[in-house]
Amino acid sequence: MDRTPYQLPFGRDRVPAWRCPVCEIGHLTLDQKALLVRETTPSRKDRKHPDWEPDWIRYVFACTFVCSNASCKEPIACSGYGAVDIVEYEDDDHGWIQAGEDRFTPQYFSPSLILMDIPGKCPATARIHFEESFALFFADPGAALNSARAGLEAVLTHLGIKRFIVSKGKRRPLSLHQRILMLPPKFSSLADLLLAAKWLGNAGSHDGTSPTQADVRVMYDLLEHVLSEIYEGKTKKLKAIAKKVIRKKGPVK
Ligand SMILES: [Zn+2]
């Protein structure tokens, strides 16, 4: 899916094309009457500073979006931070004019938005972790990576990859890395993508540079492809069609 709209803030008159998580058809529209904006205390104190400019303003907000699909109209609650963008535009009478435009960056949606296509055949044991990852995506990218990694572990368990080995009479857990290498040959082409997902997932669990939303988007790109290959077999289906076309040396009836 196209995740570009989920990188953008929204404005009072402009909401990116965020898909309704309930019907998955409509888009979110802002209920103007349900937008509550308050300037933060540090931001109000900053106004006394001699160099103060309007783009120093910081808000917190809460709002409700409504699905544009007439047969859905689901309300979706949202909260987060706001700031002011200074925009310049040319006016016929007054020349160049500067104006402040509020922009709002969500931290939480309830229900959470869907940020990755999950095939219908994906088991609920994995889906629950992916949905948890979507809920954390905006507020805590590291935790979102962690949940996505847990979803990947659940996919491997669903594929029958064992979680433990018995060594010297003791049961020891297998690492995600070891489990990926145990995938059957029909999935071996996915190993590199899964190992990359593992490294991103590790970045969510360990100290060091804080992961960003961009890292989580890469994780979703990798998982989306892997899930589609495992549960929908797109490449396998295409290869079967290609084989038939080659054999016929032309269109297949
Ligand atoms: Zn809807």
Side-chain angles (χ1 to χ4, degrees), residues 97-111:
I97 292 177
Q98 271 199 346
E101 206 171 81
D102 293 339
R103 85 179 132 78
F104 303 103
T105 305
Q107 295 283 290
Y108 296 99
F109 287 92
S110 185

Side-chain angles (χ1 to χ4, degrees), residues 15-16 18-21 26-30 65-67 76 109 113:
V15 179
W18 292 336
R19 184 79 57 85
C20 168
H27 288 94
L28 272 50
T29 58
L30 179 64
F65 293 100
V66 178
C67 173
I76 286 117
F109 287 92
L113 304 188

Side-chain angles (χ1 to χ4, degrees), residues 20-27 67-69 71-74 76:
C20 168
V22 176
C23 69
E24 298 186 42
I25 297 167
H27 288 94
C67 173
S68 62
N69 177 2
S71 58
C72 175
K73 288 189 176 172
E74 182 73 14
I76 286 117

